[in-house]
Amino acid sequence: HGTTMASTRAVRFLRWLPQGRLPSLASEAKNKFIVRHVGVAPRRFFRRSSSPNIGRIDKYQESLHGKRQRENRVRLREARRMNKKAHFGGMEVVFLGTSATRPSAFRNCTAIGVKLETESYLFDCGEGAQLQAMKSERFSLSSVSTIFITHMHGDHVFGLLGVLCEVQMIAVDLAKKIGQHPRNIRPIRVFGPPGIADFLKVLMTTATDGRGPSVDICELVQTSPKAPYSQGNMNVRQLQCDQKGVWHIIQDKGECPKTVKAVLIPHKPEMSTLAYAVEEERSLGTLDVDKLNKLGVPPGPIYKEIKKGKTVTLPNGQKIDGKDFLGPSSAGRKLAIVLDTYDSSPALELAQDADLVIHDSTFHSEMAKEAYDKGHSTSAQAGVFAREAGAQNLALTHFSNRYGYETNHLTNMIGVDVHVEEAVEAFGSESVVAAEDFMSIPIIRESGKRLLAEAREAQKRAEAMIEEEKRIAALEDQSAGGKRADAADDERGNNKKKSKKGSKGVGKRIDLKQRIESL
C-alpha cells in the first residue's frame, strides 16, 4: 500500500531477525525505528518463534526444573479433563488445595470441597481457593451453602473473604435473572473456632466498606455461649459442645438427611484444630414395584410417598404402609476430615467406619520429630488412624513443599509416593491415595458397593469361562492337526486351508467370539 523501498527492506529485516530483535538498540529507539520506517506498531512483527534464540531460555527449557514444570502442567490438565467426564453419584470430594503452610507452583493452600445432592460444603479456604474453584471442572462455588474452618492459621483462612464475596455475587446475579430481590438471598453459613467472627468483622469493615456478603457465623465454643448479635450483614452466634466434647453442627432432616459433627484435636500449644465428619442417615431400600402392581397400585406420584416409607391411602380407601414395600435399608456414607494435628486420636470415634478419611500428612516418617514440634502428622500416623477407625479409604493431604509428586534420586527429592507407601504399610490396605489439586474422589453408596462387588465377581467368572473356551479350542485344534499329519506332502497346504475352514476348533473360535461379546 504505497510503502517505500526502505520500509520494505525494514520489514524483511525485522522478519528475518530471531524474535524480531534489533541489535545494539534500546527498546524505545527500536520501537521508534519500526514505527517510523514501517508505519505500524511493533507487536505485529514481534511474534514468538518456534525455536527461540535466547540462550538463557533454551537452558531453562532444557533444565530439570523446566521439564518438571511441564510434566506437572500436563498432569493437572489431564486430571481436570478426566474429572470433567466423571459421573456424580451424590457425594464427592474435590481437592482445591493440598499444600501446607504456603502455596507452591502446583499445590495451592488447603481447601476441600464436598459436593452433595442438594448443596456443597467447603472445608477451609486457603489463599487462592476462589481461583482454584473457578479452574475446577468438578466443583463450583455457586452451590456452596456452608463453609467450615478447622483453625485460624493463615493457610486455612486467607481466601475466606474472596470466596464469600464470589458466592454472594453469583447469588445476586442469579436473583436478578429470576426476578428476585437480592435481599431475599439466603446468607452463607460459616462454622469455625472462636475468633472467626472478629476476623471476618475486620475484613468486611475495612475491605468492603461494611457492605460485605450476608453471612451467618457460628463459633464452636466449649464454655457457655454468649448472646447472639448482628453487625451489618453479619449474624454471629455461638454453639456449645455436649458433655463428650462433640459439636452437633448440622442435623438436616430434609430431602437428603445428613449430619455434620466436630471435635477438637491438638495442634499447637496456643491453638487446637477442629476435625469434622459428614454422615448421611441410613437410606431406605429400593421400592418393590412388582408387589405394588399385584396390589393394583398404579404408577404415579403416590410411589414417591411410598418410597419415603409413609402410610398412604389408596383411591379405594385402603391404607398401606410404605415400609412394607421397601427393601432392606443401607448405611449412609461418611466422610471424616482430620487436618493439622500431631495427635488425631480424639477424633477416632468421630471417624469410626468412615468411607473416606482425609488426614494430615505434612511429613514422612523419618521427620517424625519435626512433625511433632510443628504440630503435624506423618503419613504413618495417618495410616494408623485410618486402621484404628476402621475406615475404608484414606486420602493424604497437606504436604510440605519439600516433597514432589514422585521421588527423584538424581536430585535427592522425596516424593509423596513415599507417603503413600508408608501409609499403606501402617493402614494394612492398598486403599490409600496422595491427594493432588483438582483431584476428585466419589464416595459410593453401600448399594453401589454391592453392585461393584457383583460386577467384579461376574467379570472373574467371565474371564474364567473365556480361558476355558480358549483351552478347549486349543485342544481341538491339536487333535485335528494330528489327524492331518499323515496326509501327503504335495496336498498338505491345501488340506490345511480346508481343515481350517471346516474344523471344529474354528467353530469353537466363532462360538467363543460370540460368547465373549455377550459376556
Side-chain angles (χ1 to χ4, degrees), residues 477-494:
D477 283 347
Q478 289 178 5
S479 61
K483 292 178 181 179
R484 295 193 301 270
D486 298 333
D489 293 339
D490 56 347
E491 297 178 358
R492 183 172 298 172
N494 296 330

Side-chain angles (χ1 to χ4, degrees), residues 219 221-228 237-241:
E219 294 183 337
V221 297
Q222 294 177 297
T223 58
S224 299
K226 298 180 181 179
R237 64 185 179 93
Q238 291 185 341
L239 178 65
Q240 187 180 7
C241 60

Side-chain angles (χ1 to χ4, degrees), residues 93-115:
V93 177
V94 181
F95 292 92
L96 302 178
T98 56
S99 178
T101 308
R102 66 177 188 267
S104 65
F106 302 101
R107 286 190 187 273
N108 201 65
C109 290
T110 302
I112 302 172
V114 178
K115 293 174 59 178

Side-chain angles (χ1 to χ4, degrees), residues 59-73:
K59 291 178 182 178
Y60 170 78
Q61 289 180 344
E62 296 299 326
S63 67
L64 181 63
H65 180 63
K67 182 179 179 182
R68 187 163 60 246
Q69 282 196 337
R70 290 195 299 276
E71 290 176 353
N72 292 341
R73 289 192 192 99

Side-chain angles (χ1 to χ4, degrees), residues 50-222:
S50 58
S51 57
N53 193 23
I54 303 177
R56 60 186 181 86
I57 293 182
D58 289 340
K59 291 178 182 178
Y60 170 78
Q61 289 180 344
E62 296 299 326
S63 67
L64 181 63
H65 180 63
K67 182 179 179 182
R68 187 163 60 246
Q69 282 196 337
R70 290 195 299 276
E71 290 176 353
N72 292 341
R73 289 192 192 99
V74 173
R75 180 195 293 266
L76 293 179
R77 284 199 302 269
E78 184 67 16
R80 288 198 289 266
R81 186 181 68 83
M82 295 300 294
N83 288 339
K84 188 175 182 179
K85 295 182 178 180
H87 174 71
F88 177 60
M91 181 180 281
E92 185 175 329
V93 177
V94 181
F95 292 92
L96 302 178
T98 56
S99 178
T101 308
R102 66 177 188 267
S104 65
F106 302 101
R107 286 190 187 273
N108 201 65
C109 290
T110 302
I112 302 172
V114 178
K115 293 174 59 178
L116 303 173
E117 292 185 357
T118 57
E119 57 186 342
S120 296
Y121 295 157
L122 188 59
F123 290 85
D124 282 341
C125 294
E127 179 183 353
Q130 177 184 0
L131 186 59
Q132 292 290 97
M134 292 178 180
K135 292 179 181 179
S136 175
E137 300 285 357
R138 300 294 296 173
F139 190 80
S140 174
L141 293 178
S142 60
S143 60
V144 173
S145 63
T146 311
I147 299 174
F148 300 91
I149 302 299
T150 58
H151 61 293
M152 293 302 298
H153 277 168
D155 58 328
H156 295 256
V157 297
F158 278 166
L160 180 56
L161 182 60
V163 169
L164 290 174
C165 293
E166 179 68 20
V167 173
Q168 179 79 2
M169 286 188 286
I170 293 173
V172 169
D173 293 341
L174 180 60
K176 292 179 179 178
K177 289 181 180 179
I178 63 177
Q180 184 181 359
H181 198 280
R183 292 179 182 175
N184 298 327
I185 296 174
R186 185 176 63 180
I188 309 161
R189 298 179 296 181
V190 177
F191 294 90
I196 186 67
D198 294 336
F199 174 74
L200 282 177
K201 188 189 305 180
V202 172
L203 286 178
M204 294 175 66
T205 303
T206 57
T208 63
D209 296 332
R211 297 190 300 270
S214 300
V215 185
D216 285 345
I217 303 173
C218 180
E219 294 183 337
L220 307 181
V221 297
Q222 294 177 297

Side-chain angles (χ1 to χ4, degrees), residues 24 42 50 53 55 68 102 143 145 152 187 221 227 263 281 302 304 311 321 329 343 369 374 383 401 445 464 470:
S24 65
S50 58
N53 193 23
R68 187 163 60 246
R102 66 177 188 267
S143 60
S145 63
M152 293 302 298
V221 297
V263 295
E281 291 190 4
I302 195 172
K304 184 177 181 181
T311 301
D321 189 357
S329 61
D343 180 17
K369 186 180 183 306
K374 294 186 176 181
N401 286 332
R445 292 185 187 274
K470 289 181 179 180

Side-chain angles (χ1 to χ4, degrees), residues 414-480:
I414 301 176
V416 294
D417 52 342
V418 174
H419 291 242
V420 174
E421 292 173 2
E422 293 178 351
V424 166
E425 184 178 356
F427 186 19
S429 172
E430 296 288 337
S431 301
V432 181
V433 64
E436 299 179 4
D437 287 17
F438 306 111
M439 175 187 285
S440 64
I441 302 177
I443 302 177
I444 306 172
R445 292 185 187 274
E446 194 65 33
S447 57
K449 294 177 183 177
R450 290 197 298 268
L451 290 174
L452 284 175
E454 293 174 2
R456 291 192 186 101
E457 291 297 327
Q459 184 179 3
K460 290 180 181 179
R461 291 195 299 269
E463 291 174 354
M465 291 173 63
I466 290 171
E467 292 298 327
E468 182 65 19
E469 293 287 349
K470 289 181 179 180
R471 189 183 66 82
I472 295 173
L475 290 175
E476 292 185 356
D477 283 347
Q478 289 178 5
S479 61

